[in-house]
Amino acid sequence: LRADRTFDKAGIARQLAHVYLRRTQADVLTELPERIEVEEWVTLTEDDRAEYNAQPVNIMLKRRAATVTEAKYERLEDLIAEHRHADRKVVVFSFFRQVLDDVSDMFGGCPQITGDISSAERQRIIDGFTAGSGFAVLACQIEAGGVGINLQAASVVILMEAQFKPSIEWQAIARVHRMGQSRSVMVHRLLARDTIEERLVQLIAEKTQIFMHFAHDSSVRDASQMAV
């Protein structure tokens, strides 16, 4: 902390670098296939906009209203149709239970993974998703399905809304883009123009930059072959 109470980012990074070890996927999983990320910006319909504007000034209600929209669901249907034609498995992530219910209704009653199901039921769903041949859709609550499970049978990730922290998105994507994945992974982020999501995307970018400033560089990693 400088005298003017601003952070000395470079100084902090230098002090941490010799004692801090960070290993990324690129360091240790050099055989991973490529990951392609696409921002899918949609424009709300008049009805979507009216519903969005009618919500009180509450960040969660605004996020939900920007997600449960005709515009996003139409784009989702288009994306799913493309990946169905290519015979790919798709994992759709959302924070909102209503979105998961809607996705399940839209795509043949596809299974859901939420924080409410037992670990045994969760594994049964994952085994069924993995064992089936060809196209399939799985809907996951992002904070329940984003950690501790392996979904490398899929090759497509669809994020239905912007999250508050980049790590939440990274962890969800890493359920698919991980050791054992043999195909290129496509990541779609569905985002609504002229909504709170524009600010959330900006915040995610800023938080990512801060993380890179403070935590990305590691002289311990650079100095030791054991780190890779």
Side-chain angles (χ1 to χ4, degrees):
L1 198 65
R2 299 189 182 97
D4 62 0
R5 302 195 66 78
T6 61
F7 281 104
D8 178 9
K9 294 178 180 177
I12 292 172
R14 281 196 302 272
Q15 292 181 53
L16 288 176
H18 70 287
V19 295
Y20 171 74
L21 171 60
R22 176 172 187 257
R23 294 182 293 185
T24 66
Q25 279 188 330
D27 291 329
V28 298
L29 298 177
T30 56
E31 76 283 4
L32 272 182
E34 68 173 338
R35 183 178 72 215
I36 302 165
E37 300 186 15
V38 181
E39 290 187 352
E40 306 275 356
W41 286 95
V42 301
T43 300
L44 298 187
T45 67
E46 290 185 7
D47 288 343
D48 291 339
R49 178 63 60 186
E51 181 63 26
Y52 180 81
N53 291 339
Q55 298 301 312
V57 183
N58 176 291
I59 191 168
M60 294 304 290
L61 293 177
K62 287 292 190 184
R63 283 181 72 213
R64 181 177 171 279
T67 303
V68 184
T69 61
E70 181 182 349
K72 278 199 179 183
Y73 286 166
E74 283 186 353
R75 183 57 187 148
L76 176 63
E77 287 183 321
D78 290 343
L79 290 172
I80 294 293
E82 292 173 16
H83 293 303
R84 183 198 297 270
H85 182 71
D87 221 23
R88 301 185 182 107
K89 285 183 167 61
V90 181
V91 183
V92 181
F93 285 102
S94 179
F95 176 85
F96 300 103
R97 290 293 297 272
Q98 181 181 343
V99 175
L100 302 183
D101 290 340
D102 291 344
V103 169
S104 185
D105 289 342
M106 291 166 66
F107 303 108
C110 74
Q112 299 182 33
I113 290 178
T114 70
D116 296 335
I117 67 172
S118 68
S119 58
E121 176 66 7
R122 181 176 66 178
Q123 191 58 53
R124 187 193 65 78
I125 291 171
I126 293 170
D127 289 345
F129 179 74
T130 301
S133 61
F135 169 79
V137 178
L138 175 63
C140 290
Q141 199 165 23
I142 196 162
E143 292 187 347
V147 293
I149 63 175
N150 299 325
L151 294 170
Q152 64 266 47
S155 58
V156 180
V157 173
I158 299 178
L159 303 170
M160 290 298 296
E161 71 278 326
Q163 305 302 316
F164 289 115
K165 296 187 294 186
S167 58
I168 295 175
E169 294 188 0
W170 298 342
Q171 289 169 355
I173 294 167
R175 299 310 94 207
V176 173
H177 191 242
R178 61 186 294 108
M179 184 181 294
Q181 180 58 264
S182 60
R183 298 169 296 276
S184 296
V185 173
M186 176 70 75
V187 179
H188 302 276
R189 289 180 171 86
L190 291 185
L191 303 163
R193 296 188 187 280
D194 300 317
T195 70
I196 195 172
E197 289 200 303
E198 291 188 343
R199 177 56 180 153
L200 284 174
V201 168
Q202 182 182 354
L203 283 173
I204 288 172
E206 291 171 358
K207 288 180 179 180
T208 300
Q209 234 3 74
I210 290 170
F211 178 82
M212 292 303 178
H213 272 301
F214 285 96
H216 185 67
D217 293 330
S218 166
S219 60
V220 176
R221 176 193 63 193
D222 296 340
S224 173
Q225 290 187 346
M226 292 179 67
V228 297

